[in-house]
Amino acid sequence: GENVEQHPSTLSVQEGDSAVIKCTYSDSASNYFPWYKQELGKRPQLIIDIRSNVGEKKDQRIAVTLNKTAKHFSLHITETQPEDSAVYFCAAVRTGTASKLTFGTGTRLQVTL
Amino acid sequence: KAGVTQTPRYLIKTRGQQVTLSCSPISGHRSVSWYQQTPGQGLQFLFEYFSETQRNKGNFPGRFSGRQFSNSRSEMNVSTLELGDSALYLCASSFDRATGDEQYFGPGTRLTVT
């Protein structure tokens, strides 16, 4: 089955610095890659996603890059703020009627003042 | 538009008992997926229902089952509870998860098995 590795498991950055979280996947049929943010005690929320026909996508301070050949994708957060502190999950999805979704193990991001 | 709701929010059960959790999706959403979240295993996919049919299933034992009603509301049942079933159970709805539509998560049901 699909395996998604996510690194690092914890990340501490100073406010204003950049943060990068990396994920690798094993199923070459995966074609959709969402990222979720889960604040303490709250539900996961989609923050950005990318499909396999695109190499990069940006939304304000957040960007995601995808390297299909190497089967890895990354989340980049620039100018981090304290409210970015949360657990971030990547996921790899094979769409279609036999759709499979596999989450990464999560990264706890702490933005310090 | 009302969000995804789950009931109950908290539940305490004893080993060997069974439990039923409920999920009401966003109006118009036909796909409901269930996930188990634990500190050790992270977020794991249980199963997905679409138009009252189980379309996909994760690697969980047969003690975990579910169903979906004609109004897209979904229930998840766990029989013969084990201590390891203690977790946050999240459901998520979308128009059609198979096409990669955005999933919206509910607040979860925290199940504690003693």
Side-chain angles (χ1 to χ4, degrees):
Chain A
E2 171 73 284
N3 183 46
V4 178
E5 293 187 2
Q6 183 172 346
H7 299 282
S9 57
T10 60
L11 180 59
S12 183
V13 300
Q14 283 197 318
E15 184 180 7
D17 287 350
S18 295
V20 180
I21 303 170
K22 299 182 179 182
C23 289
T24 59
Y25 61 98
S26 60
D27 185 357
S28 56
S30 293
N31 56 355
Y32 172 60
F33 307 91
W35 285 88
Y36 294 90
K37 174 184 180 182
Q38 186 175 29
E39 296 177 54
L40 189 63
K42 295 191 176 180
R43 69 192 77 184
Q45 288 193 302
L46 179 73
I47 55 171
I48 196 167
D49 56 13
I50 191 167
R51 297 185 189 267
S52 58
N53 59 345
V54 176
E56 184 174 357
K57 184 176 178 181
K58 190 173 182 181
D59 183 5
Q60 298 181 26
R61 297 186 297 109
I62 295 173
V64 58
T65 58
L66 170 66
N67 183 327
K68 279 189 64 180
T69 304
K71 289 192 275 189
H72 68 69
F73 55 112
S74 301
L75 177 71
H76 305 253
I77 305 174
T78 59
E79 301 171 24
T80 53
Q81 301 167 4
E83 50 265 39
D84 294 330
S85 296
V87 178
Y88 292 81
F89 293 95
C90 65
V93 184
R94 171 157 49 96
T95 61
T97 52
S99 176
K100 297 290 184 186
L101 182 152
T102 305
F103 283 98
T105 48
T107 296
R108 183 173 299 279
L109 173 65
Q110 181 69 46
V111 179
T112 58
L113 296 173
Chain B
K1 185 187 274 189
V4 180
T5 58
Q6 291 185 247
T7 57
R9 294 292 311 280
Y10 303 92
L11 208 49
I12 300 175
K13 289 286 187 178
T14 305
R15 257 187 328 177
Q17 288 186 314
Q18 74 164 17
V19 67
T20 298
L21 313 181
S22 180
C23 172
S24 292
I26 290 172
S27 178
H29 285 187
R30 296 165 65 189
S31 172
V32 175
S33 297
W34 288 89
Y35 301 91
Q36 182 194 65
Q37 186 171 29
T38 59
Q41 298 296 319
L43 271 163
Q44 291 191 291
F45 170 69
L46 280 154
F47 31 64
E48 182 215 0
Y49 285 86
F50 182 82
S51 293
E52 301 179 64
T53 302
Q54 186 182 87
R55 189 161 60 173
N56 291 291
K57 191 176 189 303
N59 298 322
F60 278 80
R63 300 186 296 108
F64 292 82
S65 63
R67 58 178 176 168
Q68 186 179 35
F69 301 94
S70 58
N71 61 357
S72 292
R73 187 178 71 86
S74 178
E75 287 182 347
M76 185 191 113
N77 184 275
V78 188
S79 62
T80 320
L81 284 166
E82 300 177 0
L83 294 178
D85 296 333
S86 294
L88 180 67
Y89 289 89
L90 292 159
C91 76
S93 78
S94 62
F95 287 108
D96 185 355
R97 192 179 74 86
T99 62
D101 285 337
E102 179 176 354
Q103 288 193 100
Y104 294 84
F105 282 85
T109 293
R110 184 164 296 283
L111 172 65
T112 302
V113 182
T114 62

